Amino acid sequence: MLPPKLGLGLFRRLQVAHISPRRHLTHKNLLELTDRGFFQSIFPDTAAPRIKHLFTSGRQSIYAGFDPTADSLHVGNLLVIMGLLHCQRAGHKPIALVGGATGLIGDPSGRKTERNQLGESVIETNLKAIEQQLLRVFKNHEDCLWDNKKNKTPLAPLTIVNNAEWYANLHLVEFIANMGRHFRMGSMLSRSSVQSRLESEDGMSFTEFTYQIFQAYDWLHLLQKHNCCFQMGGSDQMGNLMTGHELISRVERKREVYGLTLPIVTNEEGDKFGKSAGNAVWLDPEKTSPFALYQFFLRMPDSEVEKLLKLFTFIPLPEVEQLIREHQKEPEKRKAQTLLAEDVTLLVHGENGLKQAERVTNALYKGNVEALAELNYAEIKQTLQGAILVDMLKESGMSILQLAMKSKCFPTENDAVRIINAGGFYVNQKRVQNIDEVITTGIHILRNDISLLRVGKRNFYIIRWK
């Protein structure tokens, strides 16, 4: 039983890392997040004193954009979401803009080729999925990683806006006539995202070139409708931020706006975070299970874990440093990685997702068969994405060898006999080496009528018994 009003995430910090379960506020001056490695730059670069004054003098609105290029966000988007959550924790108002209109155009930033054009129905499906993910993450944050009991002022709710709503009512010629005159071709052509594409073999289409115009207008619209003076984005968005700043300085001459850019997180090989080998780590549990997300962070190398704790958790810096000192004394226990994986999984998938990830981890890596028996077929199938699924009838007297062959774990019986005898075959994570051993309920067939077969370290077969 958890202590009253103490969320699972805060309670685990006390258990796992001896970290105080006290509420940690983000300072109203968000620029202090620079100490966590959070902000790479601000624009204009001389505006720090003014930004600090605004942040500390009252609630500010801050927005970040998410284009619906897929039906799920991925961990590469998570740092921007963390930025909005820090805004919320500091008492400011977070706004997430989903690009129902700009998603049809495609952002050229950081890309070598033009995106494939998505149809409106695909965009609509992706938008709904991303909106639900954002709402879920913000709810998980409040439920699992925020202490409402000690908080006298409620968190400002996330506002989600779709730019398709205002572009639907704009006439093309009127928009060009009224807004186009404020953009300067020299400045637009000088953006690094444009320069790199113009110099590439494929060049750049006019469609992509206009993207910065629409992102700039988005900011102007949010300034006028939501008094939003701040835009936050990855460092590859600096050119778009500058274009928006220039537009607003010409249209709203008496108002100042500011851009905040976040670093592009990469792994040791220099690949974008969560996208190595072309396989994104998604926030959708159907695309990347809570177990797979948990394992992704649990496997982070020691050289990366301190940086990621600062970026992807809300643990205060002194406590991060304490945790790293403890970790360095006993690195084999992976205490720092465990807390990182727990907090991120809580944020993305909530308490149930973390519990599922831990059950599967215990079953697969700690030999806890009872933990495996607690999972249903859908959970195991989701968790072990890529495993071969086999439906099988129970037959009295079936042997280990017969099970292996009926499941098609081995191409030939000779291979089966050789590998099983050598200790390379597992049933429910227990090594079996007797090919004549009879399959029995309770050991080989769990109470959920499932058996998990494994050949070597990675080849899994899920048997559903009929």
Side-chain angles (χ1 to χ4, degrees):
M1 180 72 67
L2 293 181
K5 302 294 184 181
L6 190 59
L8 178 59
L10 295 172
F11 181 67
R12 285 181 179 280
R13 290 180 189 168
L14 181 62
Q15 285 186 312
V16 176
H18 308 293
I19 290 175
S20 168
R22 65 180 173 79
R23 167 177 168 262
H24 165 57
L25 275 170
T26 298
H27 194 278
K28 281 187 173 296
N29 177 20
L30 291 175
L31 294 186
E32 292 201 0
L33 291 173
T34 304
D35 294 339
R36 302 181 74 95
F38 214 83
F39 291 124
Q40 182 161 318
S41 58
I42 62 173
F43 184 83
D45 57 10
T46 58
R50 177 61 179 161
I51 292 174
K52 178 180 178 180
H53 171 73
L54 289 172
F55 279 147
T56 55
S57 61
R59 173 176 288 184
Q60 301 297 318
S61 295
I62 303 152
Y63 99 91
F66 303 87
D67 276 344
T69 54
D71 59 359
S72 173
L73 300 173
H74 52 77
V75 295
N77 303 119
L78 196 55
L79 189 61
V80 177
I81 298 174
M82 288 292 295
L84 291 178
L85 287 168
H86 275 296
C87 294
Q88 188 185 50
R89 294 168 76 92
H92 302 301
K93 179 181 177 182
I95 300 174
L97 182 150
V98 291
T102 45
L104 293 168
I105 297 170
D107 185 358
S109 302
R111 293 188 61 85
K112 296 179 180 178
T113 58
E114 188 166 0
R115 298 178 188 272
N116 294 326
Q117 186 174 8
L118 300 176
E120 290 188 16
S121 61
V122 174
I123 290 286
E124 187 63 30
T125 298
N126 293 353
L127 282 171
K128 290 179 180 178
I130 289 172
E131 288 178 16
Q132 289 304 309
Q133 281 182 7
L134 290 168
L135 291 171
R136 186 185 75 231
V137 169
F138 272 75
K139 185 176 189 305
N140 289 340
H141 164 259
E142 185 168 2
D143 291 346
C144 305
L145 295 166
W146 179 255
D147 190 348
N148 281 306
K149 184 179 180 181
K150 293 182 179 180
N151 181 24
K152 302 304 180 183
T153 304
L155 294 169
L158 173 69
T159 299
I160 299 179
V161 294
N162 182 347
N163 60 13
E165 295 174 3
W166 51 87
Y167 288 116
N169 299 318
L170 285 178
H171 189 277
L172 175 61
V173 174
E174 182 180 346
F175 178 73
I176 293 174
N178 292 336
M179 289 294 126
R181 69 182 67 255
H182 298 295
F183 294 92
R184 294 294 176 266
M185 291 297 298
S187 297
M188 295 176 68
L189 287 167
S190 70
R191 307 303 183 211
S192 58
S193 60
V194 174
Q195 284 291 311
S196 61
R197 290 295 299 280
L198 290 178
E199 294 169 0
S200 68
E201 183 177 345
D202 292 332
M204 186 181 204
S205 71
F206 174 74
T207 299
E208 286 187 304
F209 182 67
T210 65
Y211 186 91
Q212 58 181 299
I213 293 176
F214 290 99
Q215 185 166 328
Y217 185 77
D218 286 344
W219 196 357
L220 174 63
H221 177 86
L222 292 179
L223 175 67
Q224 294 173 338
K225 299 297 182 182
H226 295 272
N227 193 30
C228 182
C229 297
F230 292 90
Q231 181 180 174
M232 180 184 297
S235 59
D236 59 353
Q237 294 297 307
M238 179 55 85
N240 293 331
L241 291 172
M242 292 170 69
T243 302
H245 185 276
E246 290 176 5
L247 172 64
I248 291 169
S249 67
R250 294 186 176 105
V251 176
E252 299 280 345
R253 296 182 180 181
K254 295 183 179 180
R255 304 185 72 178
E256 286 290 332
V257 294
Y258 310 91
L260 305 168
T261 69
L262 312 175
I264 302 297
V265 185
T266 59
N267 59 22
E268 289 182 312
E269 288 74 38
D271 297 315
K272 279 190 175 182
F273 194 59
K275 280 191 166 183
S276 57
N279 298 316
V281 179
W282 302 99
L283 305 190
D284 181 349
E286 297 298 323
K287 296 167 78 73
T288 298
S289 68
F291 163 74
L293 179 74
Y294 181 89
Q295 287 295 317
F296 174 76
F297 284 94
L298 188 64
R299 293 172 182 170
M300 285 295 145
D302 289 348
S303 60
E304 296 287 303
V305 69
E306 181 175 2
K307 174 184 74 176
L308 298 179
L309 280 167
K310 292 176 180 178
L311 293 177
F312 292 104
T313 78
F314 302 103
I315 303 171
L317 288 180
E319 294 174 1
V320 171
E321 293 165 1
Q322 173 194 336
L323 177 61
I324 294 300
R325 286 193 296 270
E326 292 182 13
H327 169 78
Q328 289 171 344
K329 293 176 183 177
E330 298 176 299
E332 70 281 0
K333 292 186 176 180
R334 302 186 75 76
K335 186 179 292 185
Q337 285 91 340
T338 299
L339 190 55
L340 171 66
E342 287 179 347
D343 271 22
V344 175
T345 306
L346 274 173
L347 181 64
V348 176
H349 296 301
E351 292 189 9
N352 289 336
L354 176 58
K355 289 175 182 177
Q356 182 192 114
E358 290 178 325
R359 286 203 307 269
V360 178
T361 296
N362 288 334
L364 296 185
Y365 299 111
K366 298 183 180 179
N368 188 342
V369 177
E370 287 304 310
L372 188 62
E374 292 176 3
L375 301 177
N376 59 39
Y377 177 72
E379 287 178 313
I380 295 177
K381 178 182 175 182
Q382 178 198 56
T383 296
L384 296 176
Q385 293 168 354
I388 296 174
L389 311 176
V390 181
D391 286 329
M392 190 174 297
L393 292 173
K394 293 181 181 178
E395 295 179 14
S396 178
M398 181 184 292
S399 69
I400 289 291
L401 178 60
Q402 290 171 325
L403 172 63
M405 295 309 297
K406 285 179 178 291
S407 305
K408 298 182 179 179
C409 294
F410 303 97
T412 69
E413 188 170 305
N414 286 338
D415 289 325
V417 172
R418 175 175 55 82
I419 294 174
I420 293 173
N421 286 337
F425 187 62
Y426 299 77
V427 179
N428 298 330
Q429 296 303 92
K430 299 291 186 181
R431 179 184 281 121
V432 292
Q433 292 180 270
N434 181 0
I435 61 173
D436 297 320
E437 184 178 351
V438 175
I439 301 298
T440 58
T441 301
I443 298 176
H444 305 109
I445 303 175
L446 300 175
R447 64 174 179 265
N448 52 12
D449 282 330
I450 291 173
S451 297
L452 183 65
L453 311 185
R454 175 161 62 91
V455 180
K457 292 184 177 180
R458 299 185 179 277
N459 297 317
F460 285 99
Y461 298 77
I462 302 170
I463 311 302
R464 182 168 60 175
W465 294 92
K466 301 293 187 182

